[in-house]
Every structure is written in C-alpha cells, then in structure tokens.
Amino acid sequence: MKALHFVLFCSVFLIPMKIFSQSNCNMSVTYSEMAFEKFKNAYKSDTVDHAKVFIKKGIEEAEQASAYALICNCPLAKNYALNAVTFGIKAGKADNLEEVKKQSKKAMDMALDVMTATPACNQNSK
C-alpha cells in the first residue's frame, strides 16, 4: 500500500513540477531568442533613435528570460540574461551609433549564451 501512495505522490506532485520547470526553461529560451532578435535589429540600425526602439524591447525580453531562467533553476542562464540587460541599458544610454552597435552586439552575445546554457540546465534537472 505504501508503494502505491508513493507512486501517486510522484505522479501528482513531482511529474507536474518537472513539466512546470521544463516549461519555464523553454520560456527562458523563447524570451532570449526574442531579445537576441531585438538586439540584432538594434545592431543593424542606421540611426541611434531607430536602434533605441529595438533596444528597449530587447531589454524587456532579456529581463523576462532572466526571470524564467531563475524559476527554471538555471543560474548561469539567469546571469547571461542579466548581462544582456546590462549591455542593453548601456546601448540605450549611448549617444553615438558606434557605441550603440558595440553594446548591442554584446547584448546579442549574452542572449545567445542564454539559449546555449538553458538546455544544459534543463537536462540536468531531468
């Protein structure tokens, strides 16, 4: 009878938690992909003002990637996402296109690192 209770406990509590965690890991990757695209658009922009529109959205999406990475229990991905936010903020404060592009590229790289790190954390939680 105890074995049956254990199986029921696992199926009711642990399996949904694993699915919940995997879902959050997937959301971290999704938001980092969106942040990467926004920072890439900023990097390709011809004017500072045009780039800043993309940078603002990229920062918001990198923040979401960080939050989901935290819930997913992936501290490395969370740190990469926060670094993307930091570089995005620097890009948003820059007053010349060269600096905007430099910081946007760094933010892109960090968003890409989130996409790389998160699946490894997801694998480790299985």
Side-chain angles (χ1 to χ4, degrees):
M1 194 64 170
K2 286 184 181 184
L4 179 61
H5 286 133
F6 179 74
V7 169
L8 287 173
F9 174 80
C10 288
S11 64
V12 171
F13 293 104
L14 297 181
I15 293 171
M17 287 176 62
K18 184 184 250 186
I19 293 168
F20 177 74
S21 176
Q22 184 176 358
S23 173
N24 288 315
C25 293
N26 292 341
M27 290 301 293
S28 178
V29 170
T30 298
Y31 274 104
S32 64
E33 288 170 346
M34 293 188 299
F36 176 85
E37 285 301 318
K38 294 301 184 280
F39 292 132
K40 181 178 167 184
N41 289 339
Y43 180 78
K44 291 182 172 186
S45 293
D46 294 332
T47 68
V48 172
D49 290 336
H50 189 243
K52 288 186 179 187
V53 172
F54 292 113
I55 290 166
K56 183 177 184 236
K57 189 66 176 162
I59 291 169
E60 292 169 3
E61 290 166 347
E63 288 171 338
Q64 289 296 316
S66 173
Y68 279 108
L70 178 66
I71 297 168
C72 170
N73 195 25
C74 193
L76 185 59
K78 178 192 69 99
N79 289 340
Y80 286 143
L82 290 176
N83 286 339
V85 170
T86 300
F87 290 126
I89 290 170
K90 288 180 180 181
K93 290 181 178 179
D95 57 2
N96 66 69
L97 192 57
E98 183 179 325
E99 187 64 17
V100 168
K101 287 181 179 276
K102 177 182 172 185
Q103 297 302 324
S104 294
K105 175 71 169 101
K106 289 179 181 180
M108 278 172 47
D109 292 343
M110 289 294 106
L112 187 61
D113 287 342
V114 174
M115 290 182 254
T116 304
T118 304
C121 289
N122 198 10
Q123 288 290 357
N124 293 336
S125 68
K126 289 183 178 179

